[in-house]
């Protein structure tokens, strides 16, 4: 199959209407989309990504008002958060209506719903009569794509079209939340909306949802996920370097350039200490390091606030020590 990259929304819509898969830009990461209401189309997503069928998909809609077509009930806290953060990098887990096929939710009674903010994809969705199921457009287990070139690197020849909307502005996947009986917020995945912001806007507590790594409720809860091919270690970069000095090393730091030999490939994600900028660069930097031929990545812990939490979460999942679990 020839993969075409372009910005022809009509062409993308036509393919989606025919039950094909299309990679779409979002402000978080690129998604691999298909008609969420057509199980044969959704099957193609799993095949192209080599994704296990037990791992459910987020459905993307044009307007929050459309959520009522797919979910039975919207808790008040969800509505308050939606009024503030939608469209944007926030995904809601809510009880699904019958119309949502089981292949989308992997049999779960909950469906994940998100209204993406990227203008191209909003226009695409607005012209379709169905929602789009879309996981990140990478090979299962690898780093999510934040550009059309990233998508092409892993899915070229496997999908007909990549809708090119430039670099993803947030650069990390959406925050995934659910709700308990009292309307408190359950956090399933750290992401593009920080925990503090959810608490401030809702006036409710955020509790980390119980995750089980053997049978995760979300793939984001699999320890080894979002991982580069190169071994990655987290700690004090200068201390770690002493251990790996004889290897070809790359470092990923927040704002500091360390006093290390010239041969070390240093990536500083934000010289002015902006966590949003750092988040937007992280996945691209991991991919560039994978292509650079170094054998070890050394990283440090980022500040545990705002998007720093999501960055730390992705680094921990990428960490080598967890690979074989
Ligand atoms: O930012 C994002 O969320 C991107 C863009 C494309 O929207 N999508 C994304 O999809 O990251 P994916 O499939 O790579 O990650 C979605 C996560 C998975 O961990 C999946 O297990 C979880 O959402 N998920 C989806 N539906 C679920 C459900 N019904 N119950 C529990 N977890 C669910
Ligand atoms: Mg993914």
């Amino acid at each position: 199959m020839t993969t075409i990259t372009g910005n022809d929304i009509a062409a993308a819509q036509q393919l989606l209407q025919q039950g094909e898969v299309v990679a779409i830009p979002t402000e978080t990461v690129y998604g691999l989309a298909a008609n969420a209401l057509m199980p044969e189309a959704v099957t193609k997503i799993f095949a192209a990504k080599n994704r296990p069928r037990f791992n459910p998909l987020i459905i993307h809609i044009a307007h929050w008002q459309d959520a009522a077509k797919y979910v039975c009930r919207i808790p008040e806290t969800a509505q308050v958060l939606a009024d503030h953060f939608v469209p944007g990098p926030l995904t809601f887990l809510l009880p699904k209506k019958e119309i949502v096929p089981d292949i989308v939710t992997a049999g779960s009674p909950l469906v994940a719903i998100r209204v993406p903010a990227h203008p191209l994809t909003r226009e695409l969705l607005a012209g379709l009569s169905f929602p789009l199921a879309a996981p990140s457009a990478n090979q299962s287990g690898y780093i999510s794509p934040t550009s059309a070139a990233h998508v092409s690197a892993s899915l070229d020849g496997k999908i007909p079209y990549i809708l090119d909307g430039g670099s993803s502005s947030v650069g990390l996947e959406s925050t995934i939340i659910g709700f308990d009986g009292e309307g408190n917020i359950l956090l399933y995945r750290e992401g593009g909306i920080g925990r503090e912001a959810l608490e401030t806007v809702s006036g409710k507590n955020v509790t980390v949802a119980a995750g089980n790594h053997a049978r995760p409720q979300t793939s984001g809860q699999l320890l080894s996920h979002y991982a580069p091919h190169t071994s990655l270690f987290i700690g004090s970069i200068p201390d770690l370097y002493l251990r790996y000095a004889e290897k070809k090393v790359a470092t990923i730091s927040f704002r500091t350039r360390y006093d290390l030999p010239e041969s070390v490939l240093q990536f500083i994600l934000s010289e002015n200490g902006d966590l949003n900028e750092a988040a937007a660069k992280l996945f691209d930097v991991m991919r560039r390091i994978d292509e650079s031929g170094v054998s070890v990545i050394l990283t440090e812990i980022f500040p545990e606030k705002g998007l720093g939490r999501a960055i730390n979460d992705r680094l921990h999942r990428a960490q080598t020590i967890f690979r074989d679990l």
Side-chain angles (χ1 to χ4, degrees), residues 236-239 241 247-271 281-282 284-286 288-289 292 294 296-300 302:
S236 146
I237 288 177
D239 289 354
Y241 184 72
K247 305 239 185 225
K248 285 190 82 178
V249 171
T251 62
I252 303 177
S253 60
F254 181 31
R255 55 189 310 176
T256 314
R257 176 172 297 280
Y258 289 99
D259 186 16
L260 296 171
E262 287 275 316
S263 60
V264 175
L265 219 49
Q266 292 200 51
F267 291 90
I268 295 131
L269 296 190
S270 175
E271 270 162 15
K281 288 188 183 158
L282 178 67
D284 183 62
V285 161
M286 281 183 173
R288 279 160 59 183
I289 292 174
S292 72
V294 307
V296 177
I297 307 173
L298 307 179
T299 70
E300 60 191 5
F302 283 60

Coordinates of all heavy atoms in Angstrom, one line a residue, residues 236-239 241 247-271 281-282 284-286 288-289 292 294 296-300 302:
S236 N 20.6 11.2 38.8 CA 21.4 12.4 38.7 C 22.3 12.2 37.4 O 23.1 11.2 37.4 CB 22.3 12.6 39.9 OG 23.5 13.1 39.6
I237 N 22.2 13.0 36.5 CA 22.9 12.8 35.2 C 24.5 12.7 35.4 O 25.1 11.7 35.0 CB 22.5 13.8 34.1 CG1 21.1 13.5 33.7 CG2 23.5 13.8 33.0 CD1 20.5 14.4 32.6
P238 N 25.1 13.6 36.2 CA 26.5 13.5 36.4 C 26.9 12.2 37.1 O 27.9 11.6 36.8 CB 26.9 14.7 37.3 CG 25.8 15.7 37.0 CD 24.5 14.9 36.8
D239 N 26.1 11.8 38.1 CA 26.4 10.5 38.8 C 26.3 9.3 37.9 O 27.1 8.4 37.8 CB 25.4 10.3 40.0 CG 25.7 11.3 41.1 OD1 26.7 12.0 41.0 OD2 25.0 11.3 42.1
Y241 N 26.5 9.3 34.7 CA 27.6 9.3 33.7 C 28.8 8.6 34.1 O 29.5 7.9 33.3 CB 27.9 10.8 33.3 CG 28.9 10.8 32.1 CD1 28.4 10.4 30.8 CD2 30.2 11.1 32.3 CE1 29.3 10.3 29.8 CE2 31.1 11.0 31.3 CZ 30.7 10.6 30.0 OH 31.6 10.6 29.0
K247 N 30.5 4.3 27.4 CA 29.5 4.0 26.3 C 29.3 5.3 25.5 O 29.6 6.4 25.9 CB 28.2 3.6 27.0 CG 28.3 2.4 27.9 CD 27.4 1.3 27.4 CE 27.5 0.1 28.3 NZ 27.6 -1.1 27.7
K248 N 28.5 5.1 24.4 CA 28.1 6.3 23.7 C 26.8 6.8 24.4 O 25.8 6.0 24.4 CB 27.8 6.0 22.2 CG 29.1 5.8 21.4 CD 28.7 5.7 19.9 CE 28.5 7.1 19.3 NZ 28.3 7.0 17.8
V249 N 26.8 8.0 24.9 CA 25.8 8.4 25.8 C 25.0 9.6 25.2 O 25.6 10.5 24.6 CB 26.4 8.8 27.2 CG1 25.3 9.5 28.1 CG2 26.9 7.6 27.9
A250 N 23.7 9.6 25.4 CA 22.9 10.9 25.2 C 22.2 11.2 26.5 O 21.9 10.3 27.3 CB 21.8 10.6 24.1
T251 N 22.0 12.5 26.8 CA 21.3 12.9 28.0 C 20.1 13.7 27.6 O 20.1 14.4 26.6 CB 22.2 13.8 28.9 OG1 22.6 15.0 28.2 CG2 23.5 13.1 29.3
I252 N 19.1 13.6 28.5 CA 17.9 14.5 28.3 C 17.7 15.2 29.7 O 17.5 14.5 30.7 CB 16.6 13.6 28.1 CG1 16.8 12.8 26.8 CG2 15.4 14.6 27.9 CD1 15.6 11.9 26.5
S253 N 17.9 16.5 29.7 CA 17.8 17.2 30.9 C 16.7 18.3 30.7 O 16.3 18.6 29.6 CB 19.1 17.9 31.3 OG 19.5 18.7 30.3
F254 N 16.2 18.9 31.8 CA 15.2 19.9 31.8 C 15.8 21.2 31.3 O 15.5 21.6 30.2 CB 14.6 20.0 33.2 CG 13.5 21.0 33.3 CD1 12.6 21.3 32.2 CD2 13.2 21.7 34.5 CE1 11.6 22.3 32.3 CE2 12.2 22.6 34.6 CZ 11.4 22.9 33.5
R255 N 16.6 21.8 32.2 CA 17.1 23.2 31.8 C 18.7 23.3 31.9 O 19.2 24.3 31.5 CB 16.5 24.2 32.6 CG 16.6 24.1 34.1 CD 15.7 25.0 34.8 NE 15.9 26.4 34.3 CZ 15.3 27.5 34.8 NH1 14.3 27.3 35.7 NH2 15.5 28.6 34.3
T256 N 19.3 22.2 32.4 CA 20.7 22.3 32.7 C 21.6 21.7 31.6 O 21.3 20.6 31.1 CB 21.0 21.5 34.0 OG1 20.1 21.9 34.9 CG2 22.4 21.8 34.5
R257 N 22.6 22.4 31.2 CA 23.7 21.8 30.3 C 24.8 21.3 31.3 O 25.3 22.1 32.1 CB 24.3 22.8 29.3 CG 25.4 22.2 28.5 CD 25.8 23.1 27.4 NE 24.8 23.3 26.4 CZ 24.4 22.4 25.4 NH1 25.1 21.3 25.3 NH2 23.4 22.6 24.6
Y258 N 25.1 20.0 31.3 CA 26.0 19.5 32.3 C 27.4 19.5 31.7 O 27.6 19.6 30.5 CB 25.7 18.0 32.6 CG 24.4 18.0 33.5 CD1 23.2 17.7 32.9 CD2 24.5 18.3 34.8 CE1 22.0 17.7 33.7 CE2 23.4 18.3 35.7 CZ 22.1 18.0 35.1 OH 21.0 18.0 35.9
D259 N 28.4 19.6 32.6 CA 29.8 19.6 32.2 C 30.3 18.2 31.9 O 30.8 17.5 32.8 CB 30.6 20.2 33.4 CG 32.0 20.5 33.1 OD1 32.3 20.5 31.8 OD2 32.8 20.7 34.0
L260 N 30.0 17.8 30.7 CA 30.3 16.4 30.2 C 31.1 16.5 29.0 O 31.1 17.6 28.3 CB 29.0 15.6 30.0 CG 28.1 15.4 31.2 CD1 26.8 14.8 30.7 CD2 28.8 14.5 32.2
P261 N 31.9 15.5 28.6 CA 32.7 15.5 27.4 C 31.8 15.9 26.1 O 30.7 15.6 26.1 CB 33.2 14.1 27.3 CG 33.1 13.5 28.6 CD 32.0 14.2 29.3
E262 N 32.5 16.5 25.2 CA 31.9 16.9 23.9 C 31.1 15.7 23.2 O 30.1 15.9 22.5 CB 33.0 17.3 22.9 CG 33.6 18.6 23.2 CD 32.8 19.8 22.6 OE1 32.4 19.7 21.5 OE2 32.6 20.8 23.3
S263 N 31.7 14.5 23.4 CA 31.1 13.4 22.7 C 29.7 13.0 23.2 O 29.0 12.3 22.5 CB 32.0 12.2 22.9 OG 32.1 11.9 24.3
V264 N 29.3 13.5 24.4 CA 28.0 13.2 24.9 C 27.0 14.1 24.2 O 27.1 15.3 24.1 CB 27.9 13.5 26.4 CG1 26.5 13.3 26.9 CG2 28.9 12.6 27.1
L265 N 25.9 13.4 23.7 CA 24.8 14.2 23.0 C 23.9 14.7 24.0 O 23.1 13.9 24.6 CB 24.1 13.1 22.1 CG 23.6 13.4 20.7 CD1 24.7 14.1 19.9 CD2 23.1 12.1 20.1
Q266 N 23.9 16.0 24.3 CA 23.0 16.6 25.3 C 21.8 17.2 24.7 O 21.9 18.1 23.9 CB 23.8 17.6 26.2 CG 24.9 17.0 27.0 CD 25.3 17.9 28.2 OE1 24.5 18.4 28.9 NE2 26.6 18.2 28.3
F267 N 20.6 16.8 25.2 CA 19.4 17.5 24.8 C 18.8 18.2 26.0 O 18.5 17.5 27.0 CB 18.4 16.4 24.3 CG 18.8 15.9 23.0 CD1 19.5 14.7 22.9 CD2 18.4 16.4 21.8 CE1 19.9 14.2 21.7 CE2 18.8 15.9 20.5 CZ 19.5 14.8 20.5
I268 N 18.7 19.5 25.9 CA 18.1 20.3 27.0 C 16.7 20.7 26.5 O 16.5 21.3 25.5 CB 18.9 21.5 27.3 CG1 20.3 21.0 27.8 CG2 18.3 22.5 28.3 CD1 21.5 21.7 27.1
L269 N 15.7 20.2 27.3 CA 14.3 20.4 26.7 C 13.7 21.8 26.9 O 12.9 22.2 26.1 CB 13.4 19.3 27.4 CG 13.7 17.9 27.1 CD1 12.6 17.0 27.6 CD2 14.0 17.6 25.6
S270 N 14.2 22.5 27.9 CA 13.7 23.9 27.9 C 14.7 24.8 28.7 O 14.8 24.7 30.0 CB 12.4 24.0 28.6 OG 12.0 25.4 28.7
E271 N 15.5 25.5 28.0 CA 16.5 26.3 28.7 C 15.9 27.3 29.7 O 16.5 27.7 30.7 CB 17.5 27.0 27.7 CG 18.6 26.1 27.4 CD 19.4 26.4 26.2 OE1 19.3 27.5 25.6 OE2 20.2 25.6 25.8
K281 N 8.7 18.7 23.4 CA 9.9 18.2 22.7 C 10.3 16.8 23.0 O 11.1 16.1 22.3 CB 11.1 19.1 23.1 CG 11.1 20.5 22.5 CD 12.4 21.2 22.8 CE 12.3 22.6 22.2 NZ 13.3 23.4 23.0
L282 N 9.8 16.2 24.1 CA 10.3 15.0 24.7 C 10.3 13.8 23.7 O 11.3 13.2 23.5 CB 9.5 14.6 25.9 CG 9.9 13.2 26.6 CD1 11.3 13.3 27.1 CD2 8.9 12.8 27.6
D284 N 10.0 13.7 20.4 CA 10.9 13.9 19.2 C 12.3 13.7 19.6 O 13.1 13.0 18.9 CB 10.7 15.3 18.7 CG 11.5 15.5 17.4 OD1 11.2 14.8 16.4 OD2 12.4 16.4 17.4
V285 N 12.7 14.1 20.8 CA 14.1 13.9 21.2 C 14.4 12.4 21.4 O 15.4 11.9 21.0 CB 14.4 14.7 22.5 CG1 15.6 14.2 23.2 CG2 14.5 16.2 22.1
M286 N 13.4 11.7 22.0 CA 13.7 10.3 22.2 C 13.8 9.6 20.9 O 14.7 8.7 20.7 CB 12.5 9.6 22.9 CG 12.5 9.9 24.4 SD 11.0 9.0 25.1 CE 11.3 9.2 26.9
R288 N 14.9 10.9 18.1 CA 16.2 11.3 17.5 C 17.3 10.6 18.1 O 18.3 10.2 17.4 CB 16.4 12.8 17.6 CG 15.6 13.5 16.4 CD 15.3 15.0 16.7 NE 16.5 15.8 16.9 CZ 16.5 17.1 17.2 NH1 15.3 17.7 17.4 NH2 17.6 17.7 17.4
I289 N 17.2 10.4 19.4 CA 18.3 9.6 20.1 C 18.3 8.2 19.6 O 19.4 7.6 19.3 CB 18.1 9.7 21.6 CG1 18.4 11.1 22.1 CG2 19.1 8.7 22.3 CD1 18.1 11.3 23.6
S292 N 20.2 8.0 16.5 CA 21.6 8.5 16.6 C 22.7 7.5 16.8 O 23.9 7.7 16.6 CB 21.7 9.5 17.7 OG 21.7 8.9 18.9
V294 N 23.5 6.0 19.7 CA 24.1 6.0 21.1 C 23.5 4.7 21.7 O 22.6 4.1 21.3 CB 23.7 7.2 21.9 CG1 24.1 8.5 21.2 CG2 22.3 7.2 22.4
V296 N 23.2 4.5 25.3 CA 22.5 4.7 26.6 C 21.9 6.1 26.7 O 22.6 7.1 26.2 CB 23.5 4.6 27.8 CG1 22.9 4.9 29.1 CG2 24.1 3.2 27.8
I297 N 20.7 6.2 27.2 CA 20.1 7.6 27.5 C 20.1 7.8 29.0 O 19.6 6.9 29.7 CB 18.7 7.6 27.0 CG1 18.5 7.2 25.5 CG2 18.1 9.1 27.2 CD1 17.1 7.1 25.0
L298 N 20.6 8.9 29.4 CA 20.6 9.3 30.9 C 19.6 10.4 31.0 O 19.7 11.4 30.3 CB 22.0 9.7 31.4 CG 23.1 8.6 31.1 CD1 24.4 9.1 31.7 CD2 22.7 7.3 31.7
T299 N 18.7 10.3 31.9 CA 17.7 11.4 32.1 C 17.6 11.7 33.6 O 18.0 11.0 34.4 CB 16.3 11.0 31.6 OG1 15.8 10.1 32.5 CG2 16.3 10.5 30.2
E300 N 17.0 12.9 33.8 CA 16.8 13.3 35.2 C 15.3 13.4 35.5 O 14.5 13.4 34.6 CB 17.5 14.6 35.5 CG 17.0 15.8 34.6 CD 17.8 17.0 34.7 OE1 18.9 17.0 35.4 OE2 17.4 18.0 34.2
F302 N 12.0 15.3 36.4 CA 11.5 16.7 36.1 C 10.7 17.2 37.3 O 10.3 16.3 38.1 CB 10.7 16.7 34.8 CG 11.6 16.7 33.6 CD1 12.4 15.6 33.3 CD2 11.5 17.7 32.7 CE1 13.2 15.6 32.2 CE2 12.3 17.7 31.5 CZ 13.2 16.7 31.3

